[in-house]
């Protein structure tokens, strides 16, 4: 069997993760202890993020011709990829928080919603709350004036009842 035939299923696996992904963040994991790596993988799993370590050449083959092709230059040294199909900011957010506690974990960059971002911009994206949190804040800000208005009307009605 040729080496290409052996590696093709792995390239297909990576391409499968990227097919539905909204975001992909690359990290250098060199120097992490087993305990740190276990904590990192657990946090990523809880956030619904797929995290895998692949050879750089296989990552480059898998991203070729996709929206994630811009990360090709980042594929040097030990590389792990984190992808998410449900939350575009989740990989950046979880990895950024982990990097604060684990100085050996280094963000390289990534692609979020089809746009390439370097390490510094990935850190900025990491500070953006999830879609659900943003929607909750929006609904709260819409609901707040209505709630306050209802309270005022109720107090006026109650004060008129006391007078009568």
């Amino acid at each position: 069997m040729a080496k290409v035939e052996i590696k093709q299923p792995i390239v297909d696996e990576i391409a499968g993760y990227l097919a539905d992904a909204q975001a992909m963040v690359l990290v250098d994991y060199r120097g992490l202890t087993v305990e740190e790596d276990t904590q990192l993988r657990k946090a990523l799993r809880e956030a619904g993020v797929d995290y895998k370590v692949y050879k750089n050449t296989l990552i480059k083959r898998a991203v070729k011709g996709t929206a994630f092709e811009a990360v090709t230059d980042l594929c040097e040294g030990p590389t792990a990829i984190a992808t998410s199909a449900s939350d575009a900011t989740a990989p950046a957010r979880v990895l950024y928080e982990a990097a604060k506690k684990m100085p050996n974990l280094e963000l390289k960059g990534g692609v979020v919603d089809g746009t390439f971002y370097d390490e510094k911009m990935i850190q900025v994206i990491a500070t953006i709350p999830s879609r659900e949190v943003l929607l909750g804040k929006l609904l709260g800000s819409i609901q707040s004036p209505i709630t306050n208005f209802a309270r005022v009307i109720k107090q006026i009605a109650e004060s008129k009842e006391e007078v009568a």
Side-chain angles (χ1 to χ4, degrees):
M1 217 187 235
K3 286 186 178 183
V4 173
E5 292 173 0
I6 295 171
K7 294 178 181 179
Q8 190 57 44
I10 300 169
V11 172
D12 293 339
E13 178 184 331
I14 300 168
Y17 284 119
L18 299 179
D20 298 328
Q22 292 183 15
M24 171 182 172
V25 177
L26 279 71
V27 293
D28 182 341
Y29 58 89
R30 185 182 351 197
L32 290 182
T33 65
V34 173
E35 182 181 334
E36 289 174 333
D37 188 55
T38 303
Q39 290 172 358
L40 175 62
R41 288 176 186 269
K42 182 178 185 251
L44 289 164
R45 201 171 29 254
E46 288 172 353
V49 177
D50 294 312
Y51 177 78
K52 300 277 186 171
V53 176
Y54 294 106
K55 289 188 172 198
N56 291 325
T57 54
L58 300 179
I59 296 171
K60 288 177 185 179
R61 279 191 203 159
V63 299
K64 192 170 190 172
T66 69
F68 300 101
E69 191 168 10
V71 301
T72 303
D73 294 339
L74 301 176
C75 294
E76 292 184 13
T79 303
I81 62 173
T83 60
S84 176
S86 58
D87 184 356
T89 61
R93 194 172 51 251
V94 175
L95 290 169
Y96 177 68
E97 289 301 317
K100 287 181 186 176
K101 301 172 198 158
M102 304 170 193
N104 291 328
L105 183 66
E106 180 183 322
L107 295 171
K108 291 184 173 186
V111 174
V112 178
D113 280 335
T115 305
F116 173 77
Y117 296 100
D118 64 1
E119 172 192 354
K120 300 230 183 291
M121 287 306 296
I122 289 292
Q123 292 175 0
V124 171
I125 289 170
T127 61
I128 298 171
S130 70
R131 184 174 191 269
E132 290 77 22
V133 171
L134 291 174
L135 287 174
K137 287 182 178 182
L138 174 67
L139 291 175
S141 66
I142 290 171
Q143 186 180 14
S144 180
I146 296 168
T147 305
N148 290 338
F149 179 71
R151 281 191 198 125
V152 170
I153 296 297
K154 183 180 178 187
Q155 288 175 351
I156 291 171
E158 287 174 356
S159 68
K160 287 187 178 186
E161 287 176 5
E162 291 174 5
V163 172

